[in-house]
Amino acid sequence: MLLNGKEMHIDCEKSLSELLTDCGYQINTIAVLKNGEVVSKKEIYTLNVTDNDTIEVVSFVGGG
């Protein structure tokens, strides 16, 4: 799978939320695309990912 352009391997199918948490992301502060499609906050907990998926994560940054 690709996560933000970096290749990684997952041994088994897992939930998107589990993958993101394992990688250190705070789910309430990110936006996620799976295979080019925007994933809603609710879907993050119900969608599964496999080794064939491409995931892009965008973090929100405050400032001015």
Side-chain angles (χ1 to χ4, degrees):
M1 92 175 320
L2 287 177
L3 177 63
N4 284 349
K6 295 180 183 175
E7 192 168 328
M8 65 181 296
H9 176 72
I10 56 174
D11 294 329
C12 59
E13 189 174 286
K14 59 171 51 178
S15 71
L16 181 55
S17 64
E18 185 178 24
L19 172 73
L20 295 171
T21 301
D22 289 350
C23 291
Y25 290 103
Q26 298 291 325
I27 292 175
N28 59 339
T29 62
I30 59 173
V32 181
L33 286 94
K34 178 183 176 195
N35 301 324
E37 298 287 327
V38 175
V39 178
S40 72
K41 291 292 184 191
K42 188 165 91 172
E43 289 177 308
I44 287 175
Y45 296 97
T46 59
L47 283 177
N48 288 331
V49 293
T50 66
D51 234 12
N52 296 322
D53 289 323
T54 298
I55 306 297
E56 292 291 329
V57 180
V58 178
S59 298
F60 299 111
V61 178

